Amino acid sequence: MAEIGKDIDYAKDVLSDGGIVGVPTETVYGLAGSALDTGAILKIYKAKNRPQFDPLIAHTNRIDKIETWVHDFPLKAMQLAEKFWPGPLTLLLNKTDAIPDLLTSGLARVAFRIPNHPLTLELLSRLDFPLAAPSANPFGFVSPTQASHVEDQLGDKVDYILNGGKCRIGIESTVVGFEEDEVIVHRLGGLSVEEIEEVVGPVQLKLNKSSNPEAPGMMKSHYSPGIPVIIGSIRDEVEKLKDRKAGVISFSEFYHDAQVMKVLSPTRDLHQAAKNLFRVLREMKDEEVDVIVTEKFPNEGLGKAINDRLERSAAS
Ligand code: TXA
Ligand code: MG
């Protein structure tokens, strides 16, 4: 099993030697390696069992560093970066040759993000290369929101896990690209569409439901908790499933008939619900339920990203 700790110097040494490290961010934990080192990138794909046609996000701590690795930074991209970084926003920018094609699966754009976590920001400030860091889960499964989740699933494959506690946001970053003057949201995430629109005006949604050359990784079936997921009216579904062990994940209400009951936010706070979602999906496995029953969340703010993840879980 990998060592878990808070030793930034050690993490830096491992990464500088081409190793891979589990790192905390405010969204989910990432599986990090040098984004300029094809050997480290290959280790990440292999550890995650991720197909190489699914590109990785690069992380760093300063916009001026990113400017040395991309050809241009569109005005609207800069407005979003200045407003929301460090934070749960990933920007697709035209890459220079310094960025290996393996990182972007041969695509012309590279995904960049400045994450908002003190340990990882400190680590990034000590590195002169960006860190490739997809979510630190095996391909197709639920993303990790605490160090123990990384250890459970990838503990024998990583060189070290930097422990930054529980992720504050709990759902992955929002992925945004730019075409002509249009702003395109490719993945719903921890920064809401409404917040983005306040800065750059109306955006287009091009969510990738299936294999797609724009963002080949965002397959419809993903976020598998390893148990069937049903989305609907919780009361009706629990009634129908009487002879099976159903685990309910509700937004705010408690259902007495459910055998296992997890409420994501009694006060109906979508941020709190997002923060708890992936942990609760994992806990259902420990509860050994036969089926997970959940509901559609309000289609606003982070509710859109929560619904996206639940639909993908149900399709997996
Ligand atoms: O919050 C996050 O974004 C987390 C933390 C660790 O930063 N990372 C994360 O990475 O969720 P990952 O690899 O699980 O998801 C990255 C998504 C994938 O859906 C991938 O297809 C897309 O971003 N992506 C990465 N590079 C891309 C590119 N060059 N063009 C289009 N989509 C890209
Ligand atoms: Mg992922």
Side-chain angles (χ1 to χ4, degrees), residues 27 50 54 57 59 109 113 134-135 173 187 214 218:
T27 59
R50 176 166 172 146
D54 186 358
I57 297 181
H59 300 69
R109 292 187 296 182
R113 167 164 122 79
S135 53
S173 61
R187 175 175 73 177
E214 286 290 321
M218 298 182 223

Side-chain angles (χ1 to χ4, degrees), residues 11-30:
K12 178 187 170 184
D13 289 346
V14 170
L15 292 162
S16 302
D17 286 344
I20 56 175
V21 174
V23 297
T25 83
E26 80 283 31
T27 59
V28 301
Y29 273 70

Side-chain angles (χ1 to χ4, degrees), residues 152 225-228 244-249 254 258-263 277-293:
D152 290 346
I227 304 163
R244 299 178 71 197
K245 186 171 179 187
V248 168
I249 300 177
F254 195 95
Q259 299 215 28
V260 175
M261 184 66 238
K262 311 265 184 190
V263 176
L277 177 65
F278 289 158
R279 176 179 49 79
V280 161
L281 277 170
R282 279 171 191 265
E283 285 170 0
M284 287 296 181
K285 188 102 194 177
D286 304 329
E287 301 274 7
E288 299 183 334
V289 302
D290 300 322
V291 54
I292 295 171
V293 175

Side-chain angles (χ1 to χ4, degrees), residues 12-169:
K12 178 187 170 184
D13 289 346
V14 170
L15 292 162
S16 302
D17 286 344
I20 56 175
V21 174
V23 297
T25 83
E26 80 283 31
T27 59
V28 301
Y29 273 70
L31 177 58
S34 167
L36 305 185
D37 175 347
T38 51
I41 298 170
L42 277 171
K43 279 187 198 166
I44 294 173
Y45 280 114
K46 190 154 176 254
K48 276 186 64 95
N49 196 20
R50 176 166 172 146
Q52 286 178 24
F53 58 76
D54 186 358
L56 308 182
I57 297 181
H59 300 69
T60 188
N61 66 313
R62 288 205 325 252
I63 293 176
D64 60 316
K65 283 189 180 174
I66 297 176
E67 285 175 314
T68 67
W69 295 310
V70 301
H71 280 303
D72 46 349
F73 216 118
L75 177 65
K76 286 183 177 172
M78 191 56 87
Q79 289 170 334
L80 291 173
E82 283 176 346
K83 172 89 182 176
F84 297 116
W85 278 348
L89 167 72
T90 294
L91 300 178
L92 301 180
L93 302 167
N94 291 320
K95 77 177 198 70
T96 63
D97 288 343
I99 301 288
D101 289 331
L102 186 62
L103 187 80
T104 65
S105 307
L107 297 172
R109 292 187 296 182
V110 57
F112 259 108
R113 167 164 122 79
I114 299 184
N116 193 6
H117 190 289
L119 276 187
T120 297
L121 277 175
E122 178 58 32
L123 171 64
L124 289 165
S125 77
R126 296 188 199 178
L127 300 175
D128 55 9
F129 51 84
L131 288 179
S135 53
N137 50 279
F139 183 67
F141 287 85
V142 174
S143 299
T145 53
Q146 57 192 58
S148 64
H149 295 164
V150 183
E151 191 188 27
D152 290 346
Q153 288 188 301
L154 296 175
D156 55 345
K157 300 196 169 74
V158 299
D159 298 306
Y160 187 59
I161 299 171
L162 199 54
N163 188 356
K166 291 187 178 160
C167 299
R168 197 165 45 75
I169 291 182

